[in-house]
């Protein structure tokens, strides 16, 4: 693999960022059985966030922008949102490089912690994040499904404090 560099997002990266956002959103929609296809519209709103502390891309010399990571400010803490690597470059260390970069940026800013909220069904992402040092469970978000068909959630899921949860 050619060396990938992580650099600050530029306005010229807009179409690649939107494509990556759509890829991430569509993966999540597919994971949860949502029929919606996203063309990356959420990226436009994301770019206008007042709490956005930084946005960086993974730039491949042959393939261009192949990954994206953002830092949302929460006082002296931060939230990594989003982190995405295009499917053809996953499992090659690009995500790890993006996560290392955002962590170094947070340290440089004297931040106290970083959090990230992966989708509960995205086991590959959870494993990658755990390997990158995200090993403290700091919050849990539970959902009461009010209008879903029974098959829309996976029965097997997660056990926490001797309780079984679907994902």
């Amino acid at each position: 693999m050619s060396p990938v560099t992580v650099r600050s997002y530029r306005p010229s990266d807009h179409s690649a960022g939107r494509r990556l956002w759509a890829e991430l959103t569509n993966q999540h929609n597919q994971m949860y059985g949502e029929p919606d296809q996203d063309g990356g519209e959420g990226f436009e709103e994301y770019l206008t966030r007042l709490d956005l502390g930084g946005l960086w891309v993974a730039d491949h010399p042959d393939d261009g922008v192949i990954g994206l990571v953002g830092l949302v400010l929460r006082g002296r803490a931060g939230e990594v949102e989003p982190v995405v690597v295009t499917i053809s470059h996953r499992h090659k260390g690009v995500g790890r490089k993006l996560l290392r970069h955002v962590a170094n940026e947070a340290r440089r800013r004297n931040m106290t912690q970083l959090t990230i909220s992966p989708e509960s069904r995205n086991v590959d992402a959870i494993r990658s994040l755990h390997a990158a040092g995200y090993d403290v469970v700091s919050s849990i978000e539970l959902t009461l499904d009010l209008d879903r068909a029974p098959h829309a959630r996976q029965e097997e899921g997660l056990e926490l404090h001797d309780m079984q949860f679907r994902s």
Side-chain angles (χ1 to χ4, degrees):
M1 178 173 115
S2 300
V4 172
T5 57
V6 177
R7 61 168 174 77
S8 293
Y9 172 87
R10 302 177 191 144
S12 59
D13 298 325
H14 183 264
S15 63
R18 189 176 165 119
R19 174 185 45 80
L20 286 163
W21 189 276
E23 192 173 328
L24 178 67
T25 304
N26 290 329
Q27 178 188 2
H28 290 172
N29 287 348
Q30 184 179 19
M31 208 178 294
Y32 288 95
E34 299 290 332
D36 300 335
Q37 286 293 311
D38 186 311
E41 296 84 5
F43 188 61
E44 308 303 329
E45 184 178 335
Y46 176 79
L47 290 174
T48 66
R49 292 184 68 150
L50 296 177
D51 57 356
L52 183 60
L55 188 59
W56 299 271
V57 297
D59 196 357
H60 186 279
D62 299 324
D63 299 333
V65 173
I66 59 167
L68 178 75
V69 68
L71 174 63
V72 176
L73 302 176
R74 302 273 185 251
R76 294 219 30 237
E79 178 182 355
V80 178
E81 154 99 40
V83 61
V84 59
V85 175
T86 193
I87 195 161
S88 62
H89 286 276
R90 290 184 190 158
H91 308 292
K92 297 179 181 178
V94 177
R96 190 168 34 253
K97 198 168 197 172
L98 286 166
L99 289 168
R100 193 170 34 248
H101 184 86
V102 75
N104 287 338
E105 182 65 27
R107 283 184 193 94
R108 188 183 70 74
R109 296 178 186 197
N110 294 315
M111 297 177 87
T112 58
Q113 66 181 18
L114 282 178
T115 60
I116 190 165
S117 300
E119 294 295 322
S120 62
R121 287 189 187 175
N122 197 339
V123 178
D124 284 343
I126 293 168
R127 284 189 177 117
S128 295
L129 292 166
H130 188 269
Y134 291 82
D135 60 359
V136 176
V137 176
S138 56
S139 70
I140 300 168
E141 181 176 292
L142 301 176
T143 301
L144 174 62
D145 251 344
L146 297 174
D147 63 348
R148 291 272 184 234
H151 61 81
R153 295 273 179 199
Q154 293 178 351
E155 291 303 317
E156 70 280 351
L158 171 70
E159 184 176 314
L160 186 65
H161 300 295
D162 299 320
M163 292 173 277
Q164 190 66 36
F165 295 90
R166 297 177 293 145
S167 62

